[in-house]
Amino acid sequence: MNARRIFIGIAAVAVLLVAAIASLPFFVDQDRVRRVVEQRISAVAGGEVHYESLKLRFFPQPSVEARNATVRIPGVLEGRVDTLAIRIALLPLLTGNVRPVAVNLAQPTLEVTIQPGGGSGGDPFAAYRAALGPVVDALVREASGMSLGVTDGKVVVAYAGQRIVSLSGLTADAQVAADALTVGASGAADLWRTASAHLKIAPGSLAATGKLQLSGLRLAELLPAAGAQGEVRVSAGAIDASLDAQTDGRASVRGTLTAAAPDVTLARAARTLGLGAVRAVLDAQRDGTALTASVRELKAGDLLPAATGTLRAKPDGSGPTVALQVPALDLARLRTALVALAGDLDGVQAALAFVPTGTVQALNITAAGSDFGALAALGSMRAEGQLANGALELPTFGIAVTGGVGRFALADGTLRWSELAGAIGKSTFTGGTLAVDLIPDAVDLIPDPALRKLEATVDADLAGTLPIVRRLVGRPEPAALANVESLRGRASGTVAYEADRRGADVAVDLSRVQGNVRYRGVPLPIEVTGGAVRYADDRLDVRRLDGRVGRSQVRAGARELVLGSV
């Protein structure tokens, strides 16, 4: 019995509701409803809205449908909307109150113009507030409690008269409340395959959080559109990227960018360099005191298996510093990459003479400058690391190191090596130090890039060591050295070289000498079975010499013999 009464009650309410809706056209001023809707639409849009026809419906729910509407907000937005549908709240309408609760734009075709400048004085937060503040305020004031939607839209975004991006298949939904504006959107574009975004903005403060996901991003087209394509062009396969960001709307913003591309190629003129798959994860933050970006992960094919780093600058971008950490780097691949991309440049060709092959471990690179352009200057860079199984060439002096190990540091344009060990031909060396200037010096008279300092403890093959010493000494060759016609054998000792604007000083100390020498003025070869030799200050001193000349034995004991000087 009770169930029957409930059913009858529900049916009665439904009948009354249907009757109320059916009688609305007789009790509601339809012209007034149309005028109120037109006013609210124009107020929400903040511009001019016109249409070919406007139809008011009361069933199944009160709504207004505008066909072929045109929208124009001078200097900001212009276009047409195929169908503009506005849903009206039923109960307030029964009392004569026209309250739109939902607006949907079906198949809009719009052009959005972003004006350069904006009078923000270079302050991005002022520009952000100037752009979004009036829009958010108008929506909260005129559309609070409403939902706004877009279905199958097309939007062209232009900046300074140039088209930046063209969106298609745009679907969006926004909820307007007094405390928050929430927007979700998705669509395709000429610069990417698909994208989805979510944004929440607090009115007043304009504090916001957002998330953007892109797939199929075409970087080769995006960079020129953004004015960021320089002499080196970047092309990549479809890039997938995501961005999470938030701001307080006034002084700080931070975000995380993750991007991955299956294949990236760099091109300069007719030269190309394939990097392979690239992945990067970047955390960025800007507040009133600093701009900071941290690379949590960076991979670039076989060239750069892994790297991390940081970038810091003042809020205006001045005074930047950068730090990069690379656990391991194959220098042969780096050398090949430099040749492929910039081997025709004189500066690169000169630097390549001092770029070894092998593996650098625990590489740390830092740079600082007055602006971002200054970071590329070699003099602003600092670097240090450990070389393993390296090959280093100093062709001017006939030095070709193989199997090299040691530490290096780059500072002020000078590359310094320490604890260096390896082989040069049939000789080996340990405890080596080496300094090479990579920046041309207009004051010094030594060719640049220039060897400034060399020291090592050697187990020397004398035949291979003699021409190196002669090149280190340079021309004109002192008589003490020029008189050595040939030299074979082995010895151990030290080699030292240091150059400045006055010239080069070379000192060679060898002991336990064993071998054969032909010396000008001595008619027979000298066979050495023991002794010490020192070359310094253009003198060749022989001490404690044991050996033979022809059939005669030589035992100098503790005596010193000066063979020549200049």
Side-chain angles (χ1 to χ4, degrees), residues 357 389-393 399-405 421-427 429:
T357 60
N389 193 29
L392 174 64
E393 293 188 4
I399 297 174
V401 178
T402 59
V405 297
I424 302 175
K426 297 179 181 180
S427 301
F429 66 94

Side-chain angles (χ1 to χ4, degrees), residues 66-83:
R67 304 286 295 181
N68 296 325
T70 59
V71 181
R72 184 175 182 272
I73 305 174
V76 177
L77 183 144
E78 188 171 347
R80 56 172 295 279
V81 181
D82 186 70
T83 303

Side-chain angles (χ1 to χ4, degrees), residues 107 183 212 330 473-474:
Q107 296 182 317
V183 182
L212 173 65
D330 188 326
V473 171

Side-chain angles (χ1 to χ4, degrees), residues 492-563:
S492 60
T494 61
V495 176
Y497 169 92
E498 188 165 2
D500 57 24
R501 67 190 62 183
R502 294 170 299 178
D505 292 327
V506 180
V508 181
D509 273 297
L510 298 177
S511 61
R512 293 183 290 179
V513 179
Q514 293 187 350
N516 292 276
V517 59
R518 294 299 300 259
Y519 196 82
R520 186 174 291 116
V522 179
L524 297 174
I526 303 172
E527 181 182 346
V528 180
T529 58
V533 177
R534 173 178 173 79
Y535 174 84
D537 300 324
D538 296 334
R539 292 181 7 139
L540 186 63
D541 300 335
V542 180
R543 303 181 302 278
R544 301 182 299 278
L545 180 66
D546 290 332
R548 68 174 61 242
V549 179
R551 296 181 179 180
S552 301
Q553 279 196 324
V554 178
R555 292 189 179 276
R559 294 171 56 191
E560 181 175 296
L561 180 63
V562 180
L563 295 180

Side-chain angles (χ1 to χ4, degrees), residues 299-315:
K299 298 179 180 179
D302 294 332
L303 179 62
L304 190 64
T308 58
T310 57
L311 170 67
R312 291 183 175 87
K314 295 178 181 179

